Amino acid sequence: MAWWGWVLLGLGLLAAEIAVPGGLFALFFGAGALLVGVLAAVGLGGPDWLQWLLFTAVSVALLVTLRGRLRRPAAGARTVDTLVGEGAVLLDDLPPGGVSRAELRGTSWTARSRSPLPLLRGARCKVERVDGLTLWLIPE
């Protein structure tokens, strides 16, 4: 295959990786195609069968060695589940069984409470559980 064919294939695969959410697979095959395109452009690509073999070997090697590292959460990344037990401040009054807003870590969240007593604006509450984007609060 001509070097520009490999470059177009690589760019197409990289575009597909951006356009399609999910797996993080096309990235490595796009990088493999671009590498083979560069090798073919400088005259080191060899015959077509060798180019396809290089493409496959490089792409699979990149996939096996890098995909796990790229999909792993960053060191120190916190999940939403770690919000349980943290303190939040009510931005509005929260009536019993009602819905309000609370601030936690500088972000406004939807807040609910099973408390039979109303919780007043400015009250500090503890996060009992997280349900989607809703904090279930209990009085501190």
Side-chain angles (χ1 to χ4, degrees), residues 94-98 112-119 128 136-139:
L94 178 57
R112 298 194 71 155
S113 174
R114 285 191 301 226
S115 173
L117 302 173
L119 301 174
E128 179 182 32
W136 285 82
L137 303 175
I138 55 175

Side-chain angles (χ1 to χ4, degrees), residues 6-136:
W6 286 108
V7 171
L8 288 176
L9 177 64
L11 293 175
L13 287 168
L14 293 177
E17 182 67 53
I18 293 169
V20 178
L24 198 64
F25 288 103
L27 170 71
F28 305 108
F29 289 92
L34 289 174
L35 179 67
V36 172
V38 169
L39 290 174
V42 297
L44 299 175
D48 284 348
W49 68 267
L50 182 59
Q51 291 178 14
W52 282 102
L53 183 65
L54 282 170
F55 166 68
T56 304
V58 167
S59 299
V60 171
L62 289 172
L63 178 74
V64 169
T65 58
L66 298 177
R67 184 172 185 264
R69 291 182 200 166
L70 293 175
R71 289 193 48 99
R72 191 175 315 138
R78 301 177 77 180
T79 61
V80 172
D81 293 336
T82 63
L83 297 175
V84 174
E86 290 200 24
V89 178
L90 284 172
L91 299 175
D92 296 310
D93 292 343
L94 178 57
V99 178
S100 181
R101 304 292 295 166
E103 182 180 340
L104 175 64
R105 294 186 187 166
T107 303
S108 178
W109 294 73
T110 302
R112 298 194 71 155
S113 174
R114 285 191 301 226
S115 173
L117 302 173
L119 301 174
L120 302 177
R121 178 180 186 207
R124 291 205 37 90
C125 301
K126 189 177 284 191
V127 177
E128 179 182 32
R129 76 175 200 256
V130 180
D131 185 20
L133 296 176
T134 302
L135 300 177
W136 285 82

